[in-house]
Amino acid sequence: EVQLVESGGGLVQPGGSLRLSCAASGFTFSNYWMHWVRQAPGKGLVWVSRIKPDGSSITYADSVKGRFTISRDNAKNTLSLLMNSLRAEDTAVYYCARVSGLWAFDIWGQGTTVTVSS
Amino acid sequence: QSALTQPPSASGSPGQSVTISCTGTSSDIGGYNYVSWYQQHPGKAPKLMIYEIIKRPSGVPDRFSGSKSGNTASLTVSGLQAEDEADYYCCSYAGTNNWLFGGGTKLTVL
Protein backbone atom coordinates (compact mmCIF):
# COMPACT_ATOMS: atom_id res chain seq x y z
CA GLU A 1 0.00 0.00 0.00
CA VAL A 2 1.28 3.44 -0.93
CA GLN A 3 1.50 5.40 2.27
CA LEU A 4 2.91 8.52 3.92
CA VAL A 5 3.00 8.79 7.72
CA GLU A 6 3.95 12.04 9.46
CA SER A 7 5.26 12.38 12.99
CA GLY A 8 6.96 14.90 15.24
CA GLY A 9 4.21 17.41 15.83
CA GLY A 10 3.48 18.88 19.24
CA LEU A 11 3.27 21.97 21.40
CA VAL A 12 6.20 24.38 21.22
CA GLN A 13 6.78 27.88 22.56
CA PRO A 14 7.19 30.86 20.23
CA GLY A 15 10.77 31.02 19.04
CA GLY A 16 11.24 27.31 19.53
CA SER A 17 12.09 24.54 17.09
CA LEU A 18 10.48 21.31 15.95
CA ARG A 19 11.41 18.61 13.45
CA LEU A 20 8.72 16.84 11.48
CA SER A 21 9.24 13.52 9.72
CA CYS A 22 7.35 11.73 7.00
CA ALA A 23 7.88 8.02 6.41
CA ALA A 24 7.11 6.77 2.92
CA SER A 25 6.25 3.21 1.94
CA GLY A 26 4.78 1.28 -0.96
CA PHE A 27 6.52 3.26 -3.72
CA THR A 28 10.01 4.20 -4.88
CA PHE A 29 10.49 7.28 -2.73
CA SER A 30 13.63 8.43 -4.53
CA ASN A 31 11.71 8.94 -7.79
CA TYR A 32 9.33 11.61 -6.53
CA TRP A 33 9.22 15.30 -5.70
CA MET A 34 8.01 15.65 -2.12
CA HIS A 35 6.22 18.59 -0.51
CA TRP A 36 4.96 19.93 2.78
CA VAL A 37 1.54 21.58 2.91
CA ARG A 38 -0.04 23.06 6.03
CA GLN A 39 -3.53 23.92 7.20
CA ALA A 40 -4.17 26.32 10.06
CA PRO A 41 -7.20 25.54 12.24
CA GLY A 42 -10.38 26.20 10.27
CA LYS A 43 -8.41 27.54 7.32
CA GLY A 44 -7.39 26.40 3.85
CA LEU A 45 -4.39 24.53 2.52
CA VAL A 46 -1.13 26.41 2.07
CA TRP A 47 1.91 25.11 0.24
CA VAL A 48 5.09 25.27 2.37
CA SER A 49 8.07 23.67 0.66
CA ARG A 50 9.24 21.11 -1.89
CA ILE A 51 12.33 19.05 -2.63
CA LYS A 52 13.54 17.38 -5.80
CA PRO A 53 13.93 13.57 -5.87
CA ASP A 54 17.70 13.76 -5.45
CA GLY A 55 17.54 16.67 -3.02
CA SER A 56 19.41 19.02 -5.35
CA SER A 57 16.63 21.58 -5.69
CA ILE A 58 14.60 23.05 -2.81
CA THR A 59 11.95 25.79 -2.71
CA TYR A 60 10.11 27.48 0.16
CA ALA A 61 7.06 29.69 0.52
CA ASP A 62 8.03 33.25 1.45
CA SER A 63 6.32 32.86 4.84
CA VAL A 64 8.79 30.19 6.00
CA LYS A 65 11.92 31.05 4.02
CA GLY A 66 14.95 31.31 6.27
CA ARG A 67 13.21 29.54 9.16
CA PHE A 68 12.26 26.12 7.78
CA THR A 69 14.55 23.52 6.19
CA ILE A 70 13.28 20.63 4.12
CA SER A 71 15.44 17.55 3.60
CA ARG A 72 15.16 13.91 2.60
CA ASP A 73 16.95 10.62 3.17
CA ASN A 74 16.25 8.37 0.19
CA ALA A 75 18.02 5.44 1.85
CA LYS A 76 15.54 5.63 4.73
CA ASN A 77 12.53 6.72 2.64
CA THR A 78 12.07 9.71 4.90
CA LEU A 79 11.17 13.36 4.34
CA SER A 80 11.88 15.93 7.06
CA LEU A 81 11.00 19.51 7.91
CA LEU A 82 13.10 21.36 10.47
CA MET A 83 11.18 24.35 11.76
CA ASN A 84 13.04 27.08 13.64
CA SER A 85 11.96 30.44 15.09
CA LEU A 86 8.40 29.23 15.26
CA ARG A 87 5.58 31.76 15.45
CA ALA A 88 1.95 31.52 16.50
CA GLU A 89 0.95 31.75 12.85
CA ASP A 90 2.83 28.51 12.13
CA THR A 91 0.20 26.63 14.15
CA ALA A 92 -1.32 24.14 11.74
CA VAL A 93 -1.69 20.56 10.65
CA TYR A 94 1.32 19.75 8.50
CA TYR A 95 0.89 17.28 5.65
CA CYS A 96 3.58 15.67 3.55
CA ALA A 97 2.48 14.99 0.01
CA ARG A 98 3.84 13.36 -3.11
CA VAL A 99 3.76 15.00 -6.52
CA SER A 100 3.86 12.61 -9.42
CA GLY A 101 4.06 13.14 -13.16
CA LEU A 102 0.44 14.22 -12.87
CA TRP A 103 1.62 17.61 -11.60
CA ALA A 104 -0.70 17.17 -8.64
CA PHE A 105 -0.49 16.06 -5.03
CA ASP A 106 -1.61 12.48 -5.51
CA ILE A 107 -0.68 10.95 -2.14
CA TRP A 108 -1.07 12.68 1.24
CA GLY A 109 -0.15 11.70 4.76
CA GLN A 110 -2.64 11.89 7.61
CA GLY A 111 -1.03 15.06 8.96
CA THR A 112 0.74 16.02 12.19
CA THR A 113 -0.37 18.91 14.39
CA VAL A 114 1.98 21.71 15.37
CA THR A 115 0.83 24.19 18.02
CA VAL A 116 2.96 27.26 18.77
CA SER A 117 1.87 28.82 22.03
CA SER A 118 3.26 30.00 25.35
CA GLN B 1 1.47 35.47 -4.01
CA SER B 2 -2.18 35.51 -2.93
CA ALA B 3 -4.29 32.40 -2.66
CA LEU B 4 -6.58 31.51 -5.53
CA THR B 5 -10.15 32.79 -5.07
CA GLN B 6 -12.96 30.34 -4.39
CA PRO B 7 -16.50 30.98 -3.13
CA PRO B 8 -16.68 30.05 0.57
CA SER B 9 -19.76 27.90 0.09
CA ALA B 10 -21.86 26.06 -2.46
CA SER B 11 -24.87 23.82 -2.16
CA GLY B 12 -27.23 21.61 -4.09
CA SER B 13 -29.86 18.94 -3.60
CA PRO B 14 -29.19 15.25 -4.21
CA GLY B 15 -29.10 14.51 -7.92
CA GLN B 16 -28.44 18.11 -8.90
CA SER B 17 -25.22 19.58 -10.30
CA VAL B 18 -23.07 22.21 -8.67
CA THR B 19 -20.06 24.11 -10.03
CA ILE B 20 -17.27 25.59 -7.93
CA SER B 21 -15.09 28.30 -9.44
CA CYS B 22 -11.44 29.07 -8.78
CA THR B 23 -10.01 32.35 -10.00
CA GLY B 24 -6.35 33.16 -10.32
CA THR B 25 -4.15 35.17 -12.66
CA SER B 26 -2.17 34.75 -15.85
CA SER B 27 0.79 33.80 -13.65
CA ASP B 28 -0.87 30.70 -12.28
CA ILE B 29 -4.15 29.25 -13.60
CA GLY B 30 -3.99 31.19 -16.85
CA GLY B 31 -0.36 30.35 -17.48
CA TYR B 32 -0.29 26.61 -16.89
CA ASN B 33 -2.44 23.53 -17.41
CA TYR B 34 -1.54 22.21 -13.96
CA VAL B 35 -4.78 22.83 -12.10
CA SER B 36 -5.91 20.21 -9.63
CA TRP B 37 -8.84 19.81 -7.22
CA TYR B 38 -8.94 18.16 -3.80
CA GLN B 39 -11.77 16.90 -1.63
CA GLN B 40 -11.36 17.05 2.14
CA HIS B 41 -13.77 15.59 4.66
CA PRO B 42 -13.59 16.88 8.25
CA GLY B 43 -10.53 15.63 10.08
CA LYS B 44 -9.22 13.83 7.02
CA ALA B 45 -6.38 14.39 4.58
CA PRO B 46 -7.14 15.93 1.20
CA LYS B 47 -7.86 13.58 -1.70
CA LEU B 48 -6.96 14.27 -5.32
CA MET B 49 -10.10 14.47 -7.47
CA ILE B 50 -8.99 16.23 -10.68
CA TYR B 51 -5.55 16.90 -12.17
CA GLU B 52 -4.29 18.74 -15.24
CA ILE B 53 -7.58 20.64 -15.38
CA ILE B 54 -9.82 17.83 -16.65
CA LYS B 55 -8.32 14.43 -15.79
CA ARG B 56 -9.62 12.09 -13.10
CA PRO B 57 -7.43 9.67 -11.15
CA SER B 58 -8.60 6.09 -11.18
CA GLY B 59 -11.32 5.50 -8.64
CA VAL B 60 -12.78 9.01 -8.78
CA PRO B 61 -16.38 8.90 -10.06
CA ASP B 62 -17.05 10.46 -13.46
CA ARG B 63 -19.58 12.70 -11.71
CA PHE B 64 -16.59 14.93 -11.01
CA SER B 65 -15.32 17.01 -13.92
CA GLY B 66 -13.03 19.99 -14.38
CA SER B 67 -12.60 22.81 -16.86
CA LYS B 68 -10.71 26.05 -17.37
CA SER B 69 -11.33 29.30 -19.16
CA GLY B 70 -8.69 32.00 -19.03
CA ASN B 71 -7.69 32.59 -15.43
CA THR B 72 -10.62 30.67 -13.94
CA ALA B 73 -10.89 26.94 -13.34
CA SER B 74 -14.06 25.12 -12.36
CA LEU B 75 -15.05 21.87 -10.71
CA THR B 76 -18.48 20.44 -11.49
CA VAL B 77 -20.09 17.74 -9.39
CA SER B 78 -23.03 16.13 -11.16
CA GLY B 79 -25.66 13.88 -9.63
CA LEU B 80 -24.86 15.12 -6.13
CA GLN B 81 -24.70 12.50 -3.43
CA ALA B 82 -24.61 12.86 0.33
CA GLU B 83 -20.99 11.71 0.48
CA ASP B 84 -19.94 14.58 -1.76
CA GLU B 85 -20.47 16.98 1.16
CA ALA B 86 -16.96 18.17 1.96
CA ASP B 87 -14.51 21.01 1.50
CA TYR B 88 -13.02 21.39 -1.98
CA TYR B 89 -9.73 23.11 -2.79
CA CYS B 90 -8.30 24.10 -6.13
CA CYS B 91 -4.56 24.25 -6.71
CA SER B 92 -2.37 25.60 -9.48
CA TYR B 93 1.30 25.55 -10.30
CA ALA B 94 2.41 29.19 -10.21
CA GLY B 95 5.81 29.04 -11.80
CA THR B 96 9.22 29.55 -10.18
CA ASN B 97 8.67 26.34 -8.22
CA ASN B 98 5.63 27.67 -6.37
CA TRP B 99 2.20 26.18 -5.85
CA LEU B 100 -0.99 28.04 -4.89
CA PHE B 101 -4.12 26.70 -3.28
CA GLY B 102 -7.55 28.27 -3.18
CA GLY B 103 -9.20 29.26 0.07
CA GLY B 104 -11.59 26.32 -0.12
CA THR B 105 -15.32 25.88 -0.76
CA LYS B 106 -17.63 24.09 1.62
CA LEU B 107 -20.07 22.02 -0.42
CA THR B 108 -23.35 21.26 1.32
CA VAL B 109 -25.75 18.63 0.02
CA LEU B 110 -29.19 19.83 1.05
Side-chain angles (χ1 to χ4, degrees), chain A residues 3-8 19-25 27 29 34-36 70-73 76-81 94-98 107-112:
Chain A
Q3 197 173 11
L4 296 170
V5 179
E6 300 95 336
S7 60
R19 187 180 192 92
L20 306 183
S21 295
C22 170
S25 59
F27 65 98
F29 179 72
M34 296 298 298
H35 297 241
W36 288 98
I70 189 173
S71 62
R72 65 191 299 162
D73 184 335
K76 296 183 178 179
N77 294 335
T78 301
L79 176 72
S80 297
L81 186 68
Y94 284 74
Y95 296 99
C96 64
R98 184 183 86 170
I107 303 295
W108 296 70
Q110 86 288 353
T112 188

Coordinates of all heavy atoms in Angstrom, one line a residue, chain A residues 3-8 19-25 27 29 34-36 70-73 76-81 94-98 107-112:
Chain A
Q3 N 1.8 4.7 1.0 CA 1.5 5.4 2.3 C 2.5 6.4 2.7 O 3.7 6.2 2.4 CB 1.4 4.4 3.4 CG 0.7 4.8 4.6 CD 0.4 3.7 5.6 OE1 1.0 2.6 5.5 NE2 -0.4 3.9 6.6
L4 N 2.1 7.5 3.3 CA 2.9 8.5 3.9 C 2.4 8.7 5.4 O 1.2 8.9 5.6 CB 2.8 9.9 3.2 CG 3.3 9.9 1.7 CD1 3.0 11.2 1.1 CD2 4.8 9.6 1.7
V5 N 3.4 8.7 6.3 CA 3.0 8.8 7.7 C 3.9 9.9 8.4 O 5.1 9.7 8.5 CB 3.2 7.5 8.5 CG1 2.8 7.6 9.9 CG2 2.3 6.4 7.8
E6 N 3.2 10.9 8.8 CA 3.9 12.0 9.5 C 4.1 11.8 11.0 O 3.2 11.1 11.5 CB 3.2 13.4 9.2 CG 3.1 13.8 7.8 CD 1.8 13.4 7.2 OE1 1.1 12.5 7.7 OE2 1.3 14.1 6.3
S7 N 5.1 12.4 11.5 CA 5.3 12.4 13.0 C 6.1 13.6 13.4 O 6.6 14.3 12.6 CB 6.0 11.1 13.4 OG 7.2 11.0 12.8
G8 N 6.1 13.8 14.7 CA 7.0 14.9 15.2 C 6.2 16.2 15.7 O 6.9 17.1 16.2
R19 N 11.1 19.3 14.7 CA 11.4 18.6 13.5 C 10.3 17.6 13.1 O 10.0 16.7 13.9 CB 12.7 17.9 13.6 CG 13.3 17.2 12.3 CD 14.6 16.5 12.6 NE 15.2 16.2 11.3 CZ 16.1 16.9 10.7 NH1 16.5 18.1 11.2 NH2 16.7 16.5 9.5
L20 N 9.7 17.8 11.9 CA 8.7 16.8 11.5 C 9.3 15.8 10.6 O 10.3 16.1 9.8 CB 7.6 17.6 10.7 CG 7.0 18.8 11.4 CD1 5.9 19.3 10.5 CD2 6.4 18.4 12.8
S21 N 8.8 14.6 10.6 CA 9.2 13.5 9.7 C 8.1 12.9 9.0 O 6.9 13.0 9.4 CB 9.9 12.4 10.5 OG 11.1 12.9 11.1
C22 N 8.4 12.4 7.8 CA 7.3 11.7 7.0 C 7.9 10.4 6.4 O 8.9 10.5 5.7 CB 6.9 12.7 5.9 SG 5.9 11.9 4.6
A23 N 7.4 9.3 6.9 CA 7.9 8.0 6.4 C 7.1 7.5 5.2 O 5.8 7.5 5.3 CB 7.8 7.0 7.5
A24 N 7.8 7.2 4.1 CA 7.1 6.8 2.9 C 7.2 5.3 2.8 O 8.3 4.7 3.1 CB 7.7 7.5 1.7
S25 N 6.2 4.6 2.2 CA 6.3 3.2 1.9 C 5.3 2.9 0.8 O 4.4 3.6 0.4 CB 5.8 2.4 3.2 OG 4.5 2.8 3.6
F27 N 6.1 2.7 -2.4 CA 6.5 3.3 -3.7 C 8.0 3.6 -3.7 O 8.6 3.6 -2.6 CB 5.7 4.5 -4.1 CG 5.8 5.7 -3.2 CD1 6.7 6.7 -3.5 CD2 5.1 5.8 -2.0 CE1 6.8 7.8 -2.7 CE2 5.2 6.9 -1.2 CZ 6.1 7.9 -1.5
F29 N 10.4 5.9 -3.3 CA 10.5 7.3 -2.7 C 11.5 8.2 -3.5 O 11.1 9.3 -3.8 CB 10.9 7.2 -1.3 CG 11.0 8.5 -0.5 CD1 9.9 9.2 -0.2 CD2 12.3 9.0 -0.2 CE1 10.0 10.4 0.5 CE2 12.4 10.2 0.5 CZ 11.3 10.9 0.8
M34 N 8.8 15.7 -3.4 CA 8.0 15.6 -2.1 C 7.8 17.1 -1.6 O 8.6 17.9 -1.7 CB 8.7 14.8 -1.1 CG 8.9 13.3 -1.4 SD 7.3 12.5 -1.6 CE 6.6 12.6 0.0
H35 N 6.6 17.3 -1.0 CA 6.2 18.6 -0.5 C 5.7 18.5 0.9 O 5.3 17.5 1.4 CB 5.1 19.1 -1.4 CG 5.5 19.3 -2.8 ND1 5.4 20.6 -3.4 CD2 5.9 18.5 -3.8 CE1 5.8 20.4 -4.7 NE2 6.1 19.2 -4.9
W36 N 5.7 19.7 1.5 CA 5.0 19.9 2.8 C 3.9 21.0 2.5 O 4.1 22.0 1.9 CB 5.9 20.4 3.9 CG 6.8 19.4 4.4 CD1 8.1 19.2 4.1 CD2 6.5 18.4 5.4 NE1 8.6 18.1 4.8 CE2 7.7 17.6 5.6 CE3 5.4 18.1 6.1 CZ2 7.7 16.5 6.5 CZ3 5.4 17.0 7.0 CH2 6.6 16.3 7.2
I70 N 13.8 21.9 4.6 CA 13.3 20.6 4.1 C 14.5 19.8 3.7 O 15.5 20.3 3.2 CB 12.3 20.8 2.9 CG1 11.6 19.5 2.6 CG2 13.0 21.4 1.7 CD1 10.5 19.6 1.5
S71 N 14.4 18.5 4.0 CA 15.4 17.5 3.6 C 14.8 16.2 3.4 O 13.7 15.9 3.8 CB 16.5 17.5 4.7 OG 16.0 17.0 5.9
R72 N 15.6 15.3 2.8 CA 15.2 13.9 2.6 C 16.3 12.9 2.7 O 17.5 13.3 2.5 CB 14.5 13.8 1.2 CG 15.4 14.0 0.0 CD 14.6 14.1 -1.3 NE 13.8 12.9 -1.5 CZ 12.8 12.9 -2.4 NH1 12.4 14.0 -3.0 NH2 12.1 11.7 -2.6
D73 N 16.0 11.7 3.1 CA 17.0 10.6 3.2 C 16.4 9.5 2.3 O 15.5 8.8 2.8 CB 17.2 10.2 4.6 CG 18.2 9.1 4.8 OD1 18.5 8.4 3.8 OD2 18.8 9.0 5.8
K76 N 16.5 5.9 3.7 CA 15.5 5.6 4.7 C 14.1 6.0 4.4 O 13.2 5.8 5.2 CB 15.9 6.4 6.0 CG 17.3 6.0 6.6 CD 17.6 6.7 7.9 CE 18.9 6.2 8.5 NZ 19.2 6.9 9.7
N77 N 13.9 6.4 3.1 CA 12.5 6.7 2.6 C 11.8 7.7 3.6 O 10.7 7.6 3.9 CB 11.7 5.5 2.5 CG 12.1 4.5 1.4 OD1 12.8 4.9 0.5 ND2 11.8 3.3 1.6
T78 N 12.6 8.7 3.9 CA 12.1 9.7 4.9 C 12.2 11.1 4.4 O 13.3 11.5 3.9 CB 12.8 9.5 6.3 OG1 12.6 8.2 6.7 CG2 12.2 10.5 7.3
L79 N 11.2 11.9 4.6 CA 11.2 13.4 4.3 C 11.1 14.1 5.7 O 10.5 13.6 6.6 CB 9.9 13.7 3.5 CG 9.7 15.2 3.2 CD1 10.7 15.7 2.2 CD2 8.3 15.4 2.7
S80 N 11.9 15.2 5.8 CA 11.9 15.9 7.1 C 11.6 17.4 6.8 O 11.8 17.9 5.8 CB 13.2 15.8 7.8 OG 13.5 14.4 8.1
L81 N 11.2 18.1 7.9 CA 11.0 19.5 7.9 C 11.5 20.0 9.3 O 10.8 19.8 10.3 CB 9.5 19.9 7.6 CG 9.3 21.4 7.5 CD1 10.0 21.9 6.2 CD2 7.8 21.8 7.5
Y94 N 0.3 19.8 9.6 CA 1.3 19.8 8.5 C 1.2 18.4 7.8 O 1.3 17.3 8.4 CB 2.7 19.9 9.1 CG 3.0 21.4 9.4 CD1 2.5 22.0 10.5 CD2 3.9 22.1 8.6 CE1 2.7 23.3 10.8 CE2 4.1 23.5 8.9 CZ 3.5 24.0 10.0 OH 3.8 25.4 10.3
Y95 N 1.0 18.5 6.5 CA 0.9 17.3 5.7 C 2.1 17.1 4.8 O 2.6 18.1 4.2 CB -0.3 17.4 4.7 CG -1.7 17.4 5.4 CD1 -2.3 18.6 5.6 CD2 -2.3 16.2 5.8 CE1 -3.6 18.6 6.1 CE2 -3.5 16.2 6.4 CZ -4.2 17.4 6.5 OH -5.4 17.5 7.1
C96 N 2.6 15.9 4.6 CA 3.6 15.7 3.6 C 2.8 15.1 2.4 O 1.7 14.4 2.6 CB 4.7 14.7 4.0 SG 4.2 13.1 4.4
A97 N 3.2 15.4 1.2 CA 2.5 15.0 0.0 C 3.4 14.7 -1.1 O 4.5 15.3 -1.3 CB 1.5 16.1 -0.4
R98 N 3.1 13.8 -2.0 CA 3.8 13.4 -3.1 C 3.3 14.0 -4.4 O 2.1 14.1 -4.5 CB 3.8 11.8 -3.3 CG 4.6 11.3 -4.4 CD 4.4 9.8 -4.5 NE 3.3 9.5 -5.4 CZ 3.0 8.2 -5.8 NH1 3.8 7.2 -5.5 NH2 2.0 8.0 -6.6
I107 N -0.7 11.7 -3.4 CA -0.7 10.9 -2.1 C -0.4 11.9 -1.0 O 0.5 12.7 -1.1 CB 0.4 9.8 -2.1 CG1 0.2 8.9 -3.3 CG2 0.4 9.1 -0.8 CD1 -1.1 8.1 -3.3
W108 N -1.2 11.8 0.1 CA -1.1 12.7 1.2 C -0.9 11.8 2.5 O -1.5 10.7 2.6 CB -2.3 13.6 1.4 CG -2.6 14.5 0.3 CD1 -3.0 14.3 -0.9 CD2 -2.5 16.0 0.4 NE1 -3.1 15.5 -1.7 CE2 -2.8 16.5 -0.8 CE3 -2.1 16.9 1.5 CZ2 -2.8 17.9 -1.1 CZ3 -2.2 18.2 1.2 CH2 -2.5 18.7 0.0
G109 N -0.2 12.3 3.5 CA -0.1 11.7 4.8 C -1.4 12.1 5.6 O -2.2 12.9 5.1
Q110 N -1.5 11.6 6.8 CA -2.6 11.9 7.6 C -2.5 13.2 8.3 O -3.4 13.7 8.9 CB -2.9 10.8 8.6 CG -2.1 10.9 9.9 CD -0.6 10.6 9.7 OE1 -0.1 10.1 8.7 NE2 0.2 10.7 10.8
G111 N -1.3 13.8 8.3 CA -1.0 15.1 9.0 C -0.5 14.9 10.4 O -0.8 14.0 11.1
T112 N 0.3 15.9 10.8 CA 0.7 16.0 12.2 C 0.5 17.4 12.7 O 0.8 18.4 11.9 CB 2.2 15.6 12.3 OG1 2.6 15.5 13.7 CG2 3.2 16.5 11.6

